[in-house]
Amino acid sequence: MKNTFSMILYYFAALFFGTLAAGFVYMVCCDLTLCVAGESAKFFCWAFFLKGMLVSFPLICIAGILLSIFYGISHKENFLFRFVFYVFINVVTWLVLIPASFELTEKYNAYFTEGYEVPYLSSGYFRPESGGVFYFSRVNDNGSADGLFIDLTGITGEKGSVVKFSDSLIDADFSGQFADTLIRDSIKLPFVIVVPLDMYSAFMDKAVAAWNRGYISWIFFCSIALALAACIALERVSSWRLIDAIAVLFSVGFVCFFNYACYYGFIFAEEGKLWSDFFAGMAQGKTGILHSIFSAGDPLLAVINGIFAVTLVLTGLIILFIKKKNSGVEA
């Protein structure tokens, strides 16, 4: 009973604190992105914090499900309850919590319309340009500026000269530029961070598009949830808990990478197009639920995810059968 209560407590605690932490990280990243030369930095921003929680909530939910598998690897007792709880949180997460986050995000975008515009150009900042370096001591709202131009190539007739200008229109080369960012343009994220972020962004785009097409389309998209949920079948592949955890992580990573590759057309691009065209043709002339089913999108990927789920479950059952058979022979 104690482990049962702990499992429930850990899951909801992971959702709560994970969402808060993700919102904070998102807010800090946005603050750094908008940090510009000559402007004072602001630390806490409710709009960014709320946006970060909404954007990251689906990921936190899925991470919480994965943690529940790891909890089961460490606490193998009460398997029936853990399995029922696992099915329950998967259904609630994919059919209630994640769609609810989409609805809240849409409301957020509708009501929180405050702009975060940075100045046209930062003053007090040296800006290299063709022929020399500009220094704007003051930038006006009408596009004029005061400052200096340091001639490095002799474009003004004398190389090395310093030309002072006042209330002059900013050159067309600067047209449309924002203020000079200090972080965004100077720091390149490493590959190990860019790829997971790109994957998550692709999944979110597909998920939102599927949800907007209707509930049946969302059910088709949730085929990936079925494949991910089936990874629990590998939690007892070995008597070593570390190997169990690695097997689960590898299967989860494989399912995610495979779906990501299909979304971007790296694999099954032609086959997926043929299936989509076939279903689109079947949807013509249909109405009601039949039209929704045939126009749900990504039919081939849904079938493959279903095959993944069945394969994972059968693999787990076969391994359990072999282990029990071997233990009976040894006895």
Side-chain angles (χ1 to χ4, degrees):
M1 188 65 181
K2 180 179 178 181
N3 289 334
T4 299
F5 178 77
S6 299
M7 187 175 181
I8 299 174
L9 180 63
Y10 291 157
Y11 176 72
F12 287 104
L15 290 187
F16 179 75
F17 290 107
T19 304
L20 291 179
F24 179 79
V25 171
Y26 182 91
M27 178 189 67
V28 171
C29 291
C30 289
D31 288 341
L32 292 177
T33 300
L34 295 180
C35 184
V36 298
E39 297 292 325
S40 59
K42 57 181 180 180
F43 178 70
F44 194 85
C45 178
W46 271 109
F48 287 153
F49 184 68
L50 294 175
K51 179 72 172 182
M53 289 195 297
L54 291 174
V55 168
S56 61
F57 185 72
L59 179 62
I60 300 301
C61 289
I62 298 171
I65 294 174
L66 184 60
L67 288 177
S68 69
I69 300 179
F70 292 153
Y71 183 89
I73 293 175
S74 301
H75 305 81
K76 296 183 180 295
E77 63 274 9
N78 297 328
F79 174 77
L80 180 60
F81 170 81
R82 288 192 296 104
F83 180 74
V84 172
F85 176 77
Y86 182 75
V87 173
F88 173 76
I89 61 175
N90 270 278
V91 172
V92 171
T93 295
W94 288 96
L95 299 185
V96 179
L97 295 181
I98 293 180
S101 71
F102 295 158
E103 298 292 336
L104 290 175
T105 301
E106 185 176 351
K107 292 181 179 179
Y108 170 91
N109 294 331
Y111 290 103
F112 288 85
T113 57
E114 180 182 355
Y116 295 94
E117 296 181 358
V118 292
Y120 180 70
L121 285 173
S122 301
S123 58
Y125 189 73
F126 288 97
R127 186 174 294 100
E129 270 301 319
S130 57
V133 177
F134 281 93
Y135 177 83
F136 296 110
S137 59
R138 183 171 62 91
V139 178
N140 303 316
D141 295 335
N142 61 0
S144 63
D146 302 339
L148 302 172
F149 174 72
I150 305 174
D151 187 357
L152 300 179
T153 61
I155 192 173
T156 61
E158 183 181 352
K159 186 177 180 180
S161 63
V162 178
V163 180
K164 183 179 180 181
F165 56 89
S166 177
D167 200 25
S168 299
L169 289 177
I170 297 176
D171 191 87
D173 292 338
F174 297 113
S175 179
Q177 290 188 11
F178 291 105
D180 305 279
T181 56
L182 298 179
I183 300 297
R184 182 182 58 193
D185 299 332
S186 58
I187 295 181
K188 185 177 181 180
L189 293 176
F191 180 79
V192 293
I193 296 179
V194 171
V195 172
L197 289 178
D198 190 41
M199 288 181 59
Y200 183 63
S201 178
F203 285 137
M204 287 296 294
D205 291 341
K206 290 290 185 179
V208 173
W211 174 252
N212 290 333
R213 284 197 301 265
Y215 210 75
I216 294 181
S217 179
W218 177 249
I219 296 298
F220 268 68
F221 176 82
C222 285
S223 62
I224 187 177
L226 186 64
L228 290 174
C231 294
I232 194 176
L234 302 181
E235 73 169 5
R236 295 189 176 187
V237 297
S238 171
S239 57
W240 292 358
R241 295 174 179 176
L242 179 59
I243 295 180
D244 293 341
I246 293 175
V248 171
L249 278 177
F250 178 81
S251 60
V252 169
F254 179 80
V255 170
C256 291
F257 272 105
F258 183 88
N259 280 263
Y260 174 75
C262 289
Y263 287 151
Y264 273 77
F266 297 145
I267 55 177
F268 294 134
E270 294 297 329
E271 294 83 355
K273 186 177 184 302
L274 290 175
W275 274 60
S276 298
D277 292 341
F278 173 77
F279 270 69
M282 294 292 292
Q284 293 180 359
K286 303 293 192 303
T287 58
I289 189 171
L290 289 178
H291 181 271
S292 299
I293 291 175
F294 288 120
S295 60
D298 295 327
L300 177 61
L301 187 57
V303 172
I304 294 176
N305 282 325
I307 295 175
F308 279 161
V310 173
T311 302
L312 287 170
V313 172
L314 290 178
T315 301
L317 291 176
I318 292 173
I319 292 175
L320 280 178
F321 175 77
I322 295 175
K323 288 175 62 178
K324 287 187 177 181
K325 185 177 180 180
N326 291 337
S327 63
V329 171
E330 292 175 358

